[in-house]
Amino acid sequence: MLHVNEIRKDFPILDTHVFGHRLVYLDNAATMQVPEPVLRAVMRHYHEDNANVHRGIHALSERSTRALEEAREHAASFINARSADEVVFTSGTTASLNMLADMLVAQLPSGKAVVTTVMEHHANFVPWQQACARTGHPFLVAPLDGRGDLNLRALEGLLDANDVGVVAFAHVSNVLGTVNPVNKIVAAAHERGAIAVVDAAQSIRHEVVDVQAMGCDFLAFSGHKMGASTGIGVLYGKLDLLEGLQPVRFGGEMVDDVRIAGTTFTRSPLRFEAGTPNYVGAIGLSAAISYLENLGLGDVRARETRLIRHAEDKLKSVPGLKVLGAPAVRAGCLSFAIEGIHPFDLATMIDKLGVALRSGNQCAQPLLHEEYDVGTITRLSPAFYNTVSEIDYAVDALVRVCELLRSKR
Ligand code: PMP
């Protein structure tokens, strides 16, 4: 059981007032707020240990390097990687997937396709699409089934009808909240000799992310979706696969030997971390993992599930509101459209009542256009520190805003 009143004290921003109303922050799928212990860990590092890593033989540099490598160990154990060498620090999911797409597609035998899905965030869609366009590899997209779940049969059809080298998919959709059956998709990819890449940006807080249980080859996530700062993320890869990739970012620390005639590269993970890494971000990420572990990951996930179910029920009371999709398992967020109300008008007005929702295309234009024929929608995404009464307040505010907008016509 989480003691939410106590937990909220770790997030002073939740007591902020916006336009005279206490903030109701329901935009956690975009970014989660940062708890005090994470801020303290970052401050402590700057106060006591700060120095560039891997570069000096002085005390602070050694302490800083040790803290970075402990953070790597911690991130590795959090996702159950076999070794810390499988954890590459990046600036976030987008950076992880861009780098991976560039590296993997460059090495794909000619004619092999990349398959992704229509529910992907642009970060797991455009990098593959662009890498394929550059290199001439086919880029294929699996559809949904009408309920907001991936159409597994259609995906398998794509895998059978084409010579596929990579299958890249989200664990959890950032629009529908669909939780994809990772094991089934990974198995389908592996049975055809394809590499399986998981975008865990949304799932990292809501679901168990265990790379060995998932069996995936690569996985990406961002720290800021789990209570760390922005600018830190992870690219996980099976070590033998990472070691087989040619880096595409070059600079200090990732090299072995640099001569005029040519350069050799060091091993993973430093091979993929050119330049000064965001070591303070990594230390914050480790503190964020500790924070969630101390709360109890099972309790965090159970509470977020309860809140999203409550939101789904409560939203039924809003006239003209349609929740997008009804996937078999939903986690973290849901999106909706309201008849006759533009999402931007809605978000602007509900903001004046203190409620932070996200309106826009949620960086998922293929999904919105292909499956729902809409350009913009509104998303509600609670975190464990939200309360049922905040959701009730937000939904009541929605009703008021809709009435006002309709009365003005
Ligand atoms: N994938 C998904 C499913 C996401 O929700 C997001 C963030 N909204 C990203 C990728 C990109 O994450 P970031 O902006 O932290 O790189």
Side-chain angles (χ1 to χ4, degrees):
M1 254 295 270
L2 299 183
H3 298 287
V4 175
N5 288 341
E6 285 305 305
I7 288 171
R8 287 176 71 93
K9 292 181 188 155
D10 290 332
F11 299 88
I13 198 168
L14 299 177
D15 288 327
T16 302
H17 281 67
V18 176
F19 300 111
H21 299 273
R22 198 167 60 79
L23 171 71
V24 173
Y25 184 78
L26 293 169
D27 191 19
N28 295 282
T31 202
M32 198 193 116
Q33 300 299 347
V34 180
E36 288 290 297
V38 173
L39 297 174
R40 280 199 297 272
V42 167
M43 284 280 279
R44 200 202 65 76
H45 191 79
Y46 278 123
H47 281 153
E48 297 174 21
D49 293 336
N50 187 43
N52 206 335
V53 290
H54 297 309
R55 283 163 201 227
I57 311 185
H58 58 80
L60 258 52
S61 176
E62 280 178 8
R63 293 215 294 259
S64 216
T65 304
R66 197 174 325 120
L68 169 67
E69 293 311 323
E70 282 170 6
R72 198 188 304 279
E73 298 271 352
H74 198 183
S77 78
F78 183 65
I79 59 171
N80 195 26
R82 288 166 200 82
S83 131
D85 293 341
E86 297 185 322
V87 170
V88 176
F89 283 125
T90 67
S91 65
T93 309
T94 303
S96 297
L97 292 170
N98 269 279
M99 185 166 73
L100 182 64
D102 285 350
M103 295 190 295
L104 263 185
V105 175
Q107 284 180 221
L108 271 188
S110 115
K112 285 226 182 237
V114 173
V115 172
T116 185
T117 87
V118 78
M119 75 167 82
E120 298 313 309
H121 187 282
H122 295 163
N124 197 31
F125 192 95
V126 185
W128 301 108
Q129 179 193 52
Q130 296 303 305
C132 287
R134 273 198 312 276
T135 52
H137 290 281
F139 173 70
L140 307 168
V141 181
L144 303 193
D145 66 358
R147 288 178 57 83
D149 281 309
L150 197 58
N151 185 335
L152 286 178
R153 237 190 248 157
L155 172 67
E156 292 190 333
L158 278 179
L159 295 177
D160 287 334
N162 298 279
D163 184 11
V164 175
V166 178
V167 179
F169 64 98
H171 188 182
V172 171
S173 154
N174 68 308
V175 175
L176 307 173
T178 308
V179 181
N180 279 317
V182 177
N183 291 95
K184 276 192 190 159
I185 302 170
V186 169
H190 285 172
E191 276 160 26
R192 281 92 171 171
I195 283 171
V197 178
V198 178
D199 172 355
Q202 289 297 327
S203 60
I204 195 67
R205 203 179 73 239
H206 311 306
E207 297 295 306
V208 178
V209 174
D210 175 331
V211 291
Q212 291 192 58
M214 289 168 152
C216 58
D217 300 299
F218 295 96
L219 178 137
F221 67 92
S222 299
H224 71 96
K225 309 267 191 201
M226 54 187 297
S229 65
T230 52
I232 186 70
V234 162
L235 171 63
Y236 156 84
K238 283 181 182 159
L239 193 56
D240 56 331
L241 295 177
L242 280 174
E243 296 284 5
L245 290 174
Q246 282 306 308
V248 288
R249 302 280 175 273
F250 306 104
E253 293 310 312
M254 50 81 63
V255 293
D256 190 16
D257 192 36
V258 182
R259 301 296 161 109
I260 292 174
T263 296
T264 54
F265 306 114
T266 190
R267 306 191 58 190
S268 179
L270 297 192
R271 180 183 181 82
F272 305 106
E273 293 179 1
T276 301
N278 183 2
Y279 56 91
V280 183
I283 290 160
L285 175 63
S286 174
I289 294 172
S290 295
Y291 184 79
L292 294 174
E293 286 173 338
N294 289 340
L295 289 181
L297 290 159
D299 287 346
V300 165
R301 290 170 190 138
R303 183 170 172 84
E304 292 189 341
T305 303
R306 269 204 310 284
L307 289 170
I308 201 75
R309 292 223 178 101
H310 180 75
E312 213 168 347
D313 273 354
K314 181 84 185 168
L315 283 169
K316 288 185 185 138
S317 66
V318 182
L321 184 146
K322 234 181 112 202
V323 172
L324 264 63
V329 191
R330 191 194 301 274
C333 70
L334 53 78
S335 297
F336 53 84
I338 306 180
E339 217 181 305
I341 306 281
H342 196 283
F344 288 156
D345 293 339
L346 181 70
T348 308
M349 287 191 59
I350 205 165
D351 179 46
K352 303 290 180 297
L353 298 172
V355 180
L357 299 178
R358 181 146 297 246
S359 284
N361 63 35
Q362 294 357 339
C363 298
Q365 286 185 322
L367 173 71
L368 297 190
H369 290 300
E370 301 292 329
E371 298 281 334
Y372 296 103
D373 200 21
V374 288
T376 49
I377 37 129
T378 306
R379 181 177 70 191
L380 181 154
S381 54
F384 55 88
Y385 46 57
N386 288 121
T387 63
V388 164
S389 57
E390 282 185 311
I391 289 174
D392 291 348
Y393 174 84
V395 177
D396 292 343
L398 261 181
V399 172
R400 279 168 61 197
V401 166
C402 289
E403 279 169 4
L404 200 74
L405 285 169
R406 288 199 174 106
S407 73
K408 290 205 160 154
R409 259 188 246 124

